[in-house]
């Protein structure tokens, strides 16, 4: 019968088109990275390298040693009233030299100028020494002051001795070399301190220092 479908006829096949691939590969090539992501990576790397270099410079850059007067001992005090007021005394100074660097520090000389009310009484000197890396060292130096009459405040000094407290001015200077093995750098340190010494128990009651 015309118009009847053949039951054995094969239905026409449906043609499917493949979906576009989500891969970054196109025609065998790789899609280029976005320019903003490249700039971001470069910025992060530059920040990291700059920070790392700053840390290395901070660690290995040499710094001045720290010098602190730990103790001043005044002894053998003798006051002369005639012909002019004068004083004889012995001063023993204990110093602490601290080295915060990763290098050792060898100092060749150390000098402490001791003054009173802006006038110099005398100098305390010490031979060289060695301070290990990130360590500290103690040393002592002694001086004998005989017939101190070079300033008009000698009467005030005698009065302070009687009270048991003397305020001294000190300027400490050291020269040395900082480094490791064959790499040595010359280094100087100079610090001025005002110290209040208790002559009864031979201790420092107050100390304020500043680099000069």
């Amino acid at each position: 019968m015309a118009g009847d479908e053949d039951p054995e006829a094969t239905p026409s096949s449906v043609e499917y088109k493949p979906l576009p691939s989500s891969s970054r590969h196109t025609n065998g090539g790789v899609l280029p990275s976005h320019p903003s992501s490249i700039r971001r990576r470069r910025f992060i790397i530059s920040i990291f390298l700059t920070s790392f270099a700053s840390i290395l410079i901070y660690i290995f850059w040499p710094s001045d040693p720290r010098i602190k007067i730990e103790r001043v001992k005044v002894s053998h005090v003798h006051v002369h009233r005639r012909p002019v007021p004068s004083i004889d005394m012995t001063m023993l100074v204990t110093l602490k030299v601290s080295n915060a660097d990763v290098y050792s520090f060898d100092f060749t000389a150390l000098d402490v100028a001791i003054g009173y009310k802006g006038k110099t009484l005398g100098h305390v000197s010490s031979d060289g020494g060695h301070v290990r890396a990130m360590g500290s060292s103690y040393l002592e130096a002694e001086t004998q002051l005989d017939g101190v009459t070079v300033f008009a405040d000698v009467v005030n000094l005698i009065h302070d001795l009687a009270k048991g407290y003397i305020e001294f001015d000190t300027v400490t200077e050291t020269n040395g070399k900082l480094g490791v093995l064959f790499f040595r750098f010359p280094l100087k340190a100079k610090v001025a301190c005002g110290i209040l010494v208790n002559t009864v128990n031979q201790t420092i009651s107050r100390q304020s220092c500043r680099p000069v």
Side-chain angles (χ1 to χ4, degrees):
M1 185 175 181
D4 292 341
E5 294 182 359
D6 188 357
E8 296 183 357
T10 303
S12 59
S13 60
V14 180
E15 182 178 356
Y16 295 96
K17 294 182 179 181
L19 295 175
S21 175
S22 60
S23 172
R24 297 179 60 187
H25 295 75
T26 304
N27 296 328
V30 180
L31 291 175
S33 300
H34 200 277
S36 62
S37 63
I38 297 177
R39 288 195 298 267
R40 189 180 302 111
R41 283 198 298 268
R42 288 178 178 175
F43 177 75
I44 294 174
I45 292 174
S46 63
I47 291 296
F48 172 77
L49 293 177
T50 303
S51 302
F52 184 70
S54 300
I55 293 173
L56 290 180
I57 293 174
Y58 177 79
I59 293 175
F60 292 99
W61 189 265
S63 60
D64 294 339
R66 295 174 55 189
I67 304 172
K68 182 182 179 181
I69 298 177
E70 288 288 315
R71 187 174 182 180
V72 176
K73 183 179 180 181
V74 180
S75 60
H76 302 93
V77 178
H78 185 70
V79 178
H80 303 278
R81 299 185 182 275
R82 296 179 182 178
V84 292
S86 63
I87 297 177
D88 299 338
M89 68 175 69
T90 300
M91 300 187 71
L92 178 65
V93 180
T94 302
L95 298 166
K96 180 182 180 181
V97 182
S98 300
N99 178 21
D101 292 317
V102 295
Y103 314 103
S104 62
F105 174 62
D106 295 306
F107 55 93
T108 55
L110 192 146
D111 179 83
V112 182
I114 301 175
Y116 176 77
K117 295 186 180 299
K119 305 298 194 316
T120 302
L121 292 175
H123 289 260
V124 178
S125 299
S126 176
D127 296 332
H130 175 80
V131 185
R132 68 182 185 277
M134 304 181 70
S136 58
S137 179
Y138 292 86
L139 57 96
E140 291 185 341
E142 186 178 70
T143 185
Q144 178 70 39
L145 305 176
D146 296 323
V148 178
T149 59
V150 294
F151 53 90
D153 294 316
V154 64
V155 177
N156 294 329
L157 178 58
I158 296 173
H159 182 65
D160 289 344
L161 279 170
K163 290 193 304 181
Y165 285 94
I166 306 177
E167 188 167 0
F168 291 109
D169 307 316
T170 65
V171 177
T172 305
E173 186 173 3
T174 182
N175 298 316
K177 291 184 178 180
L178 182 75
V180 60
L181 297 178
F182 301 105
F183 301 97
R184 312 294 288 177
F185 308 98
L187 192 66
K188 276 187 176 183
K190 191 174 183 180
V191 60
C193 297
I195 57 175
L196 182 63
V197 179
N198 185 325
T199 58
V200 177
N201 55 20
Q202 304 294 340
T203 59
I204 296 177
S205 302
R206 185 180 67 246
Q207 179 173 187
S208 59
C209 299
R210 59 180 177 82
V212 293

